[in-house]
Amino acid sequence: MLLAEFGWPLLPVERMFSKSAEIETAAIPKTVMLLPGFGAHPVRMRWMARELEKAGHTVKRWGQGYNLGATEDRFRKVEERLIALADRVEEPIVLVGWSLGGVMARELAKAHPNIVGKVVTLGSPFSGNPRANNGWRAYQAIAGHRVDEPEFEANPSEKPPVETVALWSPRDGIVHPRSACGRPGERDRAVALRCTHMGFVLTREAVTAVLSELDAD
């Protein structure tokens, strides 16, 4: 499954030759913040952002460029951006986080449940052993701290006090499926997809699932 992850450049090509479903206009457009995974830049989520905007949602980046780890400084800056965005739009923000971005989204929702409307995680390792993935060694080398010792107080498996949905895949070659699915009580719902870890932000299946969650009120 890990080898399959290296085929991610072909996913946009596959989309070109696959039949795409028409995106329906959202009944209640939301303001959404996308949080990229470890080592990823927001540009990796640009296609997903465009698809969500086609439905009428307003999509915002997290404002931190590459996600090089859950450091105290990075978390606080995203926190500040979230608060400023919520004040500006005067409505709760939906956080959609891919991989590490989803773990950070859960912590943001715990700290600010009054301004977060919902959390959707995409293959995020929030449950079980934090080393149950193929990226923890690279994470520690780049982030500068142990994967199980983030620089800010966090309890990844604790469910935020807002609706929290985990999208996971048995074909995930980066994060262990059980870690991304979570246990009952660690999330409100878990939805299984059939994509790779990279496919969480590059496939129509994943975008359709996210759109469905944005419309599920």
Side-chain angles (χ1 to χ4, degrees):
M1 289 192 292
L2 177 60
L3 290 176
E5 298 294 343
F6 292 96
W8 71 264
L10 298 177
L11 294 178
V13 178
E14 292 179 7
R15 291 201 308 263
M16 294 173 60
F17 294 95
S18 64
K19 184 178 180 181
S20 60
E22 183 177 349
I23 294 179
E24 298 182 2
T25 302
I28 304 177
K30 309 290 198 312
T31 299
V32 182
M33 179 186 287
L34 300 182
L35 292 83
F38 175 66
H41 190 273
V43 71
R44 284 286 182 88
M45 305 183 80
R46 182 172 56 187
W47 177 74
M48 172 176 281
R50 290 174 176 171
E51 296 297 290
L52 301 187
E53 288 173 343
K54 287 180 182 178
H57 301 292
T58 300
V59 181
K60 299 295 183 180
R61 293 186 177 190
W62 77 326
Q64 293 301 303
Y66 285 97
N67 187 346
L68 299 180
T71 63
E72 174 80 19
D73 180 66
R74 186 167 291 109
F75 182 81
R76 297 308 168 196
K77 287 180 178 177
V78 179
E79 183 178 42
E80 291 173 4
R81 179 170 172 77
L82 171 65
I83 294 171
L85 179 59
D87 287 343
R88 187 164 67 249
V89 301
E90 298 183 338
E91 67 179 40
I93 310 300
V94 177
L95 301 179
V96 176
W98 175 32
S99 200
L100 176 63
V103 177
M104 296 176 73
R106 287 169 60 96
E107 296 304 320
L108 287 169
K110 294 173 195 176
H112 303 281
N114 57 315
I115 60 174
V116 175
K118 186 173 188 175
V119 174
V120 180
T121 59
L122 312 173
S124 299
F126 64 86
S127 180
N129 192 325
R131 290 183 174 81
N133 60 78
N134 284 319
W136 70 269
R137 292 180 179 84
Y139 178 88
Q140 292 188 167
I142 295 173
H145 60 258
R146 292 170 57 90
V147 69
D148 55 350
E149 295 179 359
E151 293 184 356
F152 55 90
E153 185 175 351
N155 182 4
S157 63
E158 179 186 6
K159 194 190 88 68
V162 302
E163 186 179 9
T164 304
V165 181
L167 303 187
W168 66 282
S169 172
R171 295 181 177 178
D172 195 322
I174 302 295
V175 173
H176 196 290
R178 285 199 295 269
S179 184
C181 174
R183 302 183 180 93
E186 295 177 341
R187 41 43 177 185
D188 292 295
R189 289 184 295 111
V191 179
L193 306 183
R194 301 294 293 177
C195 61
T196 61
H197 191 76
M198 302 301 291
F200 278 113
V201 295
L202 294 171
T203 62
R204 298 192 187 281
E205 176 192 25
V207 164
T208 298
V210 173
L211 285 171
S212 177
E213 292 303 329
L214 293 178
D215 284 339
D217 285 326

